[in-house]
Short mmCIF file of all heavy atoms in Angstrom, two decimals:
data_model
loop_
_atom_site.label_atom_id
_atom_site.label_comp_id
_atom_site.label_asym_id
_atom_site.label_seq_id
_atom_site.Cartn_x
_atom_site.Cartn_y
_atom_site.Cartn_z
N GLU A 240 0.83 -1.21 0.00
CA GLU A 240 0.00 0.00 0.00
C GLU A 240 0.86 1.26 0.00
O GLU A 240 0.54 2.25 -0.65
CB GLU A 240 -0.93 0.01 1.22
CG GLU A 240 -1.97 -1.08 1.22
CD GLU A 240 -3.08 -0.84 0.23
OE1 GLU A 240 -3.30 0.31 -0.19
OE2 GLU A 240 -3.74 -1.83 -0.15
N GLY A 241 1.98 1.22 0.73
CA GLY A 241 2.90 2.35 0.73
C GLY A 241 3.51 2.60 -0.63
O GLY A 241 3.67 3.76 -1.06
N THR A 242 3.85 1.53 -1.34
CA THR A 242 4.40 1.67 -2.69
C THR A 242 3.37 2.27 -3.64
O THR A 242 3.68 3.15 -4.44
CB THR A 242 4.87 0.30 -3.20
OG1 THR A 242 5.86 -0.21 -2.31
CG2 THR A 242 5.46 0.42 -4.60
N ILE A 243 2.14 1.79 -3.54
CA ILE A 243 1.08 2.33 -4.40
C ILE A 243 0.85 3.80 -4.09
O ILE A 243 0.71 4.63 -5.00
CB ILE A 243 -0.22 1.51 -4.23
CG1 ILE A 243 -0.02 0.11 -4.81
CG2 ILE A 243 -1.39 2.20 -4.90
CD1 ILE A 243 -1.14 -0.86 -4.51
N HIS A 244 0.82 4.16 -2.80
CA HIS A 244 0.64 5.56 -2.43
C HIS A 244 1.77 6.42 -2.97
O HIS A 244 1.54 7.53 -3.48
CB HIS A 244 0.56 5.70 -0.91
CG HIS A 244 0.55 7.13 -0.47
ND1 HIS A 244 -0.54 7.95 -0.64
CD2 HIS A 244 1.50 7.90 0.10
CE1 HIS A 244 -0.26 9.16 -0.18
NE2 HIS A 244 0.99 9.15 0.27
N GLN A 245 3.01 5.92 -2.87
CA GLN A 245 4.13 6.69 -3.38
C GLN A 245 4.02 6.87 -4.90
O GLN A 245 4.29 7.95 -5.42
CB GLN A 245 5.45 5.99 -3.03
CG GLN A 245 6.67 6.79 -3.44
CD GLN A 245 7.96 6.05 -3.18
OE1 GLN A 245 7.97 4.84 -3.05
NE2 GLN A 245 9.04 6.79 -3.12
N ALA A 246 3.61 5.83 -5.60
CA ALA A 246 3.47 5.93 -7.04
C ALA A 246 2.41 6.96 -7.43
O ALA A 246 2.60 7.74 -8.36
CB ALA A 246 3.12 4.56 -7.63
N VAL A 247 1.32 6.97 -6.69
CA VAL A 247 0.25 7.93 -6.99
C VAL A 247 0.69 9.34 -6.64
O VAL A 247 0.46 10.29 -7.40
CB VAL A 247 -1.04 7.54 -6.24
CG1 VAL A 247 -2.08 8.64 -6.32
CG2 VAL A 247 -1.61 6.25 -6.81
N ALA A 248 1.34 9.50 -5.48
CA ALA A 248 1.73 10.83 -5.03
C ALA A 248 2.84 11.43 -5.90
O ALA A 248 2.81 12.62 -6.19
CB ALA A 248 2.19 10.77 -3.57
N VAL A 249 3.79 10.61 -6.32
CA VAL A 249 4.95 11.13 -7.05
C VAL A 249 4.66 11.26 -8.53
O VAL A 249 5.00 12.26 -9.16
CB VAL A 249 6.18 10.22 -6.81
CG1 VAL A 249 7.33 10.61 -7.72
CG2 VAL A 249 6.61 10.30 -5.37
N THR A 250 4.03 10.25 -9.11
CA THR A 250 3.88 10.23 -10.56
C THR A 250 2.45 10.46 -11.04
O THR A 250 2.22 10.58 -12.23
CB THR A 250 4.36 8.89 -11.14
OG1 THR A 250 3.52 7.84 -10.66
CG2 THR A 250 5.79 8.62 -10.76
N GLY A 251 1.48 10.51 -10.13
CA GLY A 251 0.10 10.73 -10.55
C GLY A 251 -0.45 9.59 -11.37
O GLY A 251 -1.11 9.80 -12.40
N MET A 252 -0.21 8.37 -10.96
CA MET A 252 -0.57 7.20 -11.76
C MET A 252 -2.06 6.85 -11.75
O MET A 252 -2.45 5.87 -12.35
CB MET A 252 0.22 5.98 -11.30
CG MET A 252 1.66 6.03 -11.74
SD MET A 252 2.54 4.51 -11.42
CE MET A 252 1.66 3.33 -12.41
N ARG A 253 -2.87 7.63 -11.09
CA ARG A 253 -4.31 7.31 -11.12
C ARG A 253 -4.89 7.48 -12.52
O ARG A 253 -5.82 6.80 -12.90
CB ARG A 253 -5.07 8.19 -10.14
CG ARG A 253 -4.83 7.79 -8.72
CD ARG A 253 -6.06 8.08 -7.89
NE ARG A 253 -5.75 8.01 -6.49
CZ ARG A 253 -5.74 6.90 -5.78
NH1 ARG A 253 -6.04 5.77 -6.37
NH2 ARG A 253 -5.44 6.91 -4.51
N ARG A 254 -4.35 8.43 -13.26
CA ARG A 254 -4.83 8.66 -14.62
C ARG A 254 -3.66 8.66 -15.58
O ARG A 254 -2.63 9.27 -15.32
CB ARG A 254 -5.53 10.01 -14.72
CG ARG A 254 -6.81 10.07 -13.96
CD ARG A 254 -7.71 11.14 -14.54
NE ARG A 254 -8.99 11.10 -13.89
CZ ARG A 254 -10.07 10.60 -14.48
NH1 ARG A 254 -10.01 10.13 -15.68
NH2 ARG A 254 -11.21 10.61 -13.83
N ALA A 255 -3.85 7.98 -16.69
CA ALA A 255 -2.82 7.96 -17.72
C ALA A 255 -2.85 9.26 -18.50
O ALA A 255 -3.91 9.82 -18.78
CB ALA A 255 -3.04 6.78 -18.66
N ARG A 256 -1.68 9.76 -18.85
CA ARG A 256 -1.58 11.00 -19.61
C ARG A 256 -1.76 10.77 -21.10
O ARG A 256 -1.97 11.69 -21.86
CB ARG A 256 -0.22 11.65 -19.36
CG ARG A 256 -0.04 12.15 -17.96
CD ARG A 256 1.36 12.74 -17.79
NE ARG A 256 1.55 13.24 -16.45
CZ ARG A 256 2.01 12.52 -15.44
NH1 ARG A 256 2.32 11.26 -15.63
NH2 ARG A 256 2.15 13.05 -14.25
N TYR A 257 -1.63 9.52 -21.49
CA TYR A 257 -1.62 9.21 -22.93
C TYR A 257 -2.74 8.25 -23.28
O TYR A 257 -3.26 7.53 -22.43
CB TYR A 257 -0.27 8.60 -23.32
CG TYR A 257 0.89 9.44 -22.88
CD1 TYR A 257 1.65 9.10 -21.77
CD2 TYR A 257 1.20 10.62 -23.56
CE1 TYR A 257 2.70 9.90 -21.36
CE2 TYR A 257 2.25 11.42 -23.15
CZ TYR A 257 2.99 11.05 -22.05
OH TYR A 257 4.03 11.84 -21.65
N LEU A 258 -3.10 8.22 -24.54
CA LEU A 258 -4.10 7.28 -25.04
C LEU A 258 -3.37 6.13 -25.71
O LEU A 258 -2.34 6.31 -26.35
CB LEU A 258 -5.02 7.96 -26.05
CG LEU A 258 -5.90 9.09 -25.50
CD1 LEU A 258 -6.70 9.73 -26.62
CD2 LEU A 258 -6.84 8.56 -24.43
N GLY A 259 -3.92 4.96 -25.57
CA GLY A 259 -3.33 3.79 -26.21
C GLY A 259 -2.57 2.94 -25.22
O GLY A 259 -1.93 3.43 -24.29
N LEU A 260 -2.62 1.64 -25.44
CA LEU A 260 -2.01 0.70 -24.52
C LEU A 260 -0.49 0.83 -24.49
O LEU A 260 0.13 0.80 -23.42
CB LEU A 260 -2.42 -0.72 -24.91
CG LEU A 260 -1.96 -1.84 -24.00
CD1 LEU A 260 -2.53 -1.64 -22.60
CD2 LEU A 260 -2.40 -3.18 -24.55
N HIS A 261 0.14 1.01 -25.65
CA HIS A 261 1.60 1.07 -25.70
C HIS A 261 2.14 2.31 -24.99
O HIS A 261 3.11 2.23 -24.23
CB HIS A 261 2.08 1.03 -27.15
CG HIS A 261 1.73 -0.25 -27.85
ND1 HIS A 261 2.23 -1.47 -27.48
CD2 HIS A 261 0.90 -0.50 -28.89
CE1 HIS A 261 1.75 -2.42 -28.25
NE2 HIS A 261 0.92 -1.85 -29.12
N LYS A 262 1.51 3.45 -25.20
CA LYS A 262 1.96 4.67 -24.55
C LYS A 262 1.71 4.62 -23.04
O LYS A 262 2.54 5.07 -22.25
CB LYS A 262 1.26 5.89 -25.15
CG LYS A 262 1.69 6.21 -26.57
CD LYS A 262 0.95 7.42 -27.07
CE LYS A 262 1.32 7.72 -28.50
NZ LYS A 262 0.57 8.88 -29.01
N THR A 263 0.58 4.06 -22.65
CA THR A 263 0.28 3.94 -21.23
C THR A 263 1.25 2.98 -20.55
O THR A 263 1.74 3.25 -19.45
CB THR A 263 -1.17 3.45 -21.03
OG1 THR A 263 -2.05 4.35 -21.69
CG2 THR A 263 -1.53 3.38 -19.56
N HIS A 264 1.58 1.89 -21.22
CA HIS A 264 2.55 0.95 -20.67
C HIS A 264 3.92 1.62 -20.51
O HIS A 264 4.58 1.46 -19.48
CB HIS A 264 2.67 -0.28 -21.57
CG HIS A 264 3.76 -1.22 -21.15
ND1 HIS A 264 3.66 -1.98 -20.01
CD2 HIS A 264 4.96 -1.50 -21.70
CE1 HIS A 264 4.77 -2.70 -19.88
NE2 HIS A 264 5.57 -2.42 -20.89
N LEU A 265 4.32 2.40 -21.50
CA LEU A 265 5.59 3.10 -21.43
C LEU A 265 5.59 4.10 -20.27
O LEU A 265 6.58 4.25 -19.55
CB LEU A 265 5.87 3.81 -22.75
CG LEU A 265 7.24 4.45 -22.89
CD1 LEU A 265 8.34 3.40 -22.78
CD2 LEU A 265 7.33 5.19 -24.21
N GLU A 266 4.47 4.78 -20.07
CA GLU A 266 4.36 5.70 -18.94
C GLU A 266 4.52 4.97 -17.62
O GLU A 266 5.20 5.45 -16.71
CB GLU A 266 3.00 6.41 -18.97
CG GLU A 266 2.80 7.36 -17.81
CD GLU A 266 1.40 7.94 -17.75
OE1 GLU A 266 0.53 7.52 -18.53
OE2 GLU A 266 1.17 8.81 -16.90
N HIS A 267 3.93 3.79 -17.49
CA HIS A 267 4.05 3.01 -16.26
C HIS A 267 5.48 2.55 -16.04
O HIS A 267 5.98 2.54 -14.91
CB HIS A 267 3.09 1.82 -16.28
CG HIS A 267 1.67 2.22 -16.13
ND1 HIS A 267 0.63 1.36 -16.38
CD2 HIS A 267 1.09 3.39 -15.76
CE1 HIS A 267 -0.52 1.97 -16.16
NE2 HIS A 267 -0.25 3.20 -15.79
N VAL A 268 6.15 2.16 -17.11
CA VAL A 268 7.55 1.74 -16.99
C VAL A 268 8.41 2.91 -16.53
O VAL A 268 9.25 2.77 -15.63
CB VAL A 268 8.06 1.16 -18.33
CG1 VAL A 268 9.56 0.96 -18.30
CG2 VAL A 268 7.35 -0.15 -18.64
N PHE A 269 8.22 4.08 -17.13
CA PHE A 269 8.99 5.25 -16.72
C PHE A 269 8.69 5.63 -15.26
O PHE A 269 9.59 6.04 -14.52
CB PHE A 269 8.71 6.44 -17.64
CG PHE A 269 9.40 6.36 -18.96
CD1 PHE A 269 8.82 6.93 -20.09
CD2 PHE A 269 10.62 5.74 -19.10
CE1 PHE A 269 9.45 6.88 -21.31
CE2 PHE A 269 11.26 5.67 -20.33
CZ PHE A 269 10.68 6.24 -21.44
N SER A 270 7.44 5.49 -14.85
CA SER A 270 7.08 5.79 -13.47
C SER A 270 7.76 4.83 -12.51
O SER A 270 8.26 5.24 -11.45
CB SER A 270 5.57 5.71 -13.29
OG SER A 270 4.92 6.69 -14.06
N ALA A 271 7.81 3.55 -12.87
CA ALA A 271 8.47 2.56 -12.02
C ALA A 271 9.97 2.85 -11.92
O ALA A 271 10.56 2.75 -10.85
CB ALA A 271 8.23 1.16 -12.57
N VAL A 272 10.58 3.23 -13.04
CA VAL A 272 12.00 3.58 -13.02
C VAL A 272 12.23 4.80 -12.14
O VAL A 272 13.18 4.84 -11.33
CB VAL A 272 12.52 3.82 -14.46
CG1 VAL A 272 13.91 4.42 -14.45
CG2 VAL A 272 12.51 2.52 -15.25
N ALA A 273 11.36 5.79 -12.24
CA ALA A 273 11.50 6.99 -11.42
C ALA A 273 11.39 6.66 -9.94
O ALA A 273 12.17 7.16 -9.12
CB ALA A 273 10.43 8.02 -11.82
N LEU A 274 10.43 5.81 -9.57
CA LEU A 274 10.29 5.42 -8.17
C LEU A 274 11.52 4.67 -7.68
O LEU A 274 12.00 4.89 -6.56
CB LEU A 274 9.05 4.56 -7.98
CG LEU A 274 7.71 5.27 -8.10
CD1 LEU A 274 6.57 4.27 -8.00
CD2 LEU A 274 7.57 6.33 -7.05
N ASN A 275 12.06 3.79 -8.51
CA ASN A 275 13.26 3.06 -8.13
C ASN A 275 14.44 4.00 -7.95
O ASN A 275 15.24 3.83 -7.02
CB ASN A 275 13.59 1.98 -9.15
CG ASN A 275 12.64 0.80 -9.06
OD1 ASN A 275 12.05 0.55 -8.02
ND2 ASN A 275 12.49 0.08 -10.15
N LEU A 276 14.57 4.99 -8.81
CA LEU A 276 15.66 5.97 -8.66
C LEU A 276 15.50 6.79 -7.39
O LEU A 276 16.49 7.07 -6.69
CB LEU A 276 15.73 6.87 -9.89
CG LEU A 276 16.23 6.22 -11.17
CD1 LEU A 276 16.12 7.18 -12.35
CD2 LEU A 276 17.65 5.72 -11.02
N ILE A 277 14.27 7.19 -7.08
CA ILE A 277 14.01 7.93 -5.84
C ILE A 277 14.39 7.09 -4.63
O ILE A 277 15.04 7.57 -3.69
CB ILE A 277 12.54 8.37 -5.78
CG1 ILE A 277 12.26 9.46 -6.82
CG2 ILE A 277 12.15 8.85 -4.38
CD1 ILE A 277 10.80 9.77 -7.00
N ARG A 278 14.02 5.82 -4.66
CA ARG A 278 14.33 4.94 -3.54
C ARG A 278 15.82 4.67 -3.43
O ARG A 278 16.38 4.62 -2.32
CB ARG A 278 13.56 3.63 -3.68
CG ARG A 278 12.08 3.82 -3.43
CD ARG A 278 11.31 2.55 -3.65
NE ARG A 278 9.96 2.75 -3.17
CZ ARG A 278 9.20 1.77 -2.70
NH1 ARG A 278 9.65 0.55 -2.65
NH2 ARG A 278 7.99 2.04 -2.28
#
């Protein structure tokens, strides 16, 4: 739950910024990388 909260708070993952599965997947990958770098 803490990881999910951090992802939402830092990257705003509740809503995708892009349309389409490939772009949304890429956004999630970049968000995961950003969280790992922060940690």
Side-chain angles (χ1 to χ4, degrees):
E240 294 287 339
T242 302
I243 292 171
H244 172 72
Q245 185 184 20
V247 169
V249 171
T250 64
M252 286 188 63
R253 286 212 194 275
R254 293 204 174 255
R256 292 178 179 89
Y257 307 103
L258 295 177
L260 185 61
H261 297 295
K262 290 180 183 178
T263 303
H264 174 70
L265 187 61
E266 178 187 7
H267 289 167
V268 169
F269 283 149
S270 296
V272 170
L274 289 175
N275 286 336
L276 289 174
I277 290 169
R278 289 177 170 209

